[in-house]
Amino acid sequence: MLFDKIKNELKSENPVNYNKFIKNLEFDEDASDSARLVIKAPNIYIANYVKRKYSKKIAELYKKETGLEASIEITTKEIKPKKLEEYEEIISTPSVLIPEYTFESFITGPSNQFAYSAAKSVAENPGKSYNPLFIYGGVGLGKTHLIQAIGNYLKNKLKVIYVTSEQFMNEFRENVRNHTMDRFHEKYRNCDVLLIDDVQFFAQKEQTQEEFFHTFNELYNQKKQICLTADRPPKKLHDLVDRLRNRFEAGLIADIQPPELETKIEIIRKKCEINGIYLPDDVIEFIATKLDSNIREIEGMIVKLHALAKLLGVNEITIDFAKQALKEHIKDKKENITLENIIELIAKEFNIKPSEITSKSRNQNIVAARRTAIYLAREFTKESTPSIAKYFGLKDHSAVSHSIKAFNKKLKEDNEFRMKIEELKNKILIRKGE
């Protein structure tokens, strides 16, 4: 069916949003025609979200499949409420916890172990261990997974509310408009666990911040658990009022960094297992080294790879097939990368000062960093071997050639070393593309 095809395309782009908003949409064939698609959502919250975020994309995918332009109408499956109270009950429905987001399905490594342990401790002792728990990190690194894991762990024991900051703001405005703030307070100030995603979007929303400040205090004083996520630590949320930022800083702050290569490989394996997809080890390693660290996007690419293989009748996914299928997503722009870009990244990776890389030090770690930087300089920059030799304080261009030859030999002989260098290459390309 055409609408199922459109839904699958949306799933490949963002599996998380698919589970939350797209999965339960239904196509109303009787009410639709070639110029108008009517789609039914389970409730008014999902209907409004899909209308705002997905209408244009659905129309584009429909045109791609049929060559026709159509308007998109999002309705709800529910009977329209006759009473304000019934309407308020619908818009107050919390976001759905994704059942797959559990502690067991979360792959840990050095980049996220602290955040994982903190979340697990909170789930086992809500309101007692760390309150609030504030988890921050980049997009697609697992913040939502962790706080939803807390919710899934406790949902059968306590009253749990999980919402995005956007939903909290929308509900607040709707209840103010309808003079029903008592209902809003009843919902948010009488739960046992409040989980809110992406609180950075409270920035410059003064009334929302004021309301959340009082909600926070009410729950905190009752020893109810509060868990928050954001894309940066509280001290960098400059557009939040000080008293709210201070509340966030009073609990435990845990960050999630981009996963190391080994963790990334294990995450990909787990995602394949969850989605019922088989990928050979060399393809998994290729994806881990070539795609960036947004796990949500990586999952989308895995689903896309699998779907494309099925459509084309490919029995086994190889590296060559993966390269072709994912070529638009693989960072491969080497223009304007400088020696300074490389030195900065290598210094951070090896935990040394940039100046040490170009020094005469024979410290083993610094020598390894220097050799890596020389190799990447030749790979990514337009500098000649004499200019690279001069930059790194080497005798002449032959020293550069000798270093690169030894480096290439190790790349061929040591698979783990090769993967780490591939990941470094990808980090350079990603940084330059940002």
Side-chain angles (χ1 to χ4, degrees), residues 61 78 140:
L61 291 171
E78 305 147 330

Side-chain angles (χ1 to χ4, degrees), residues 126 157-160 190-194 219 223-225:
K157 309 171 190 175
L158 301 171
K159 184 180 178 182
V160 175
N190 288 287
C191 63
D192 299 306
V193 181
L194 178 61
L219 292 173
K223 299 191 183 305
K224 306 298 185 182
Q225 183 65 50

Side-chain angles (χ1 to χ4, degrees), residues 152-179:
N152 281 317
Y153 188 92
L154 295 170
K155 66 184 179 183
N156 296 324
K157 309 171 190 175
L158 301 171
K159 184 180 178 182
V160 175
I161 293 179
Y162 164 80
V163 287
T164 63
S165 58
E166 182 182 24
Q167 185 183 350
F168 184 91
M169 288 187 284
N170 288 341
E171 287 187 37
F172 171 62
R173 285 195 291 263
E174 202 67 49
N175 280 280
V176 168
R177 189 180 303 121
N178 293 319
H179 306 289

Side-chain angles (χ1 to χ4, degrees), residues 337-344 373 377 381 383 387-388 391-392:
I337 294 174
T338 66
L339 289 168
E340 286 73 21
N341 297 146
I342 291 169
I343 292 291
E344 181 186 351
T381 73
E383 302 289 343
S387 62
I388 292 173
Y391 187 89
F392 286 95

Side-chain angles (χ1 to χ4, degrees), residues 29 176 191 217 370:
E29 192 171 354
V176 168
C191 63
N217 283 346
R370 188 181 301 127

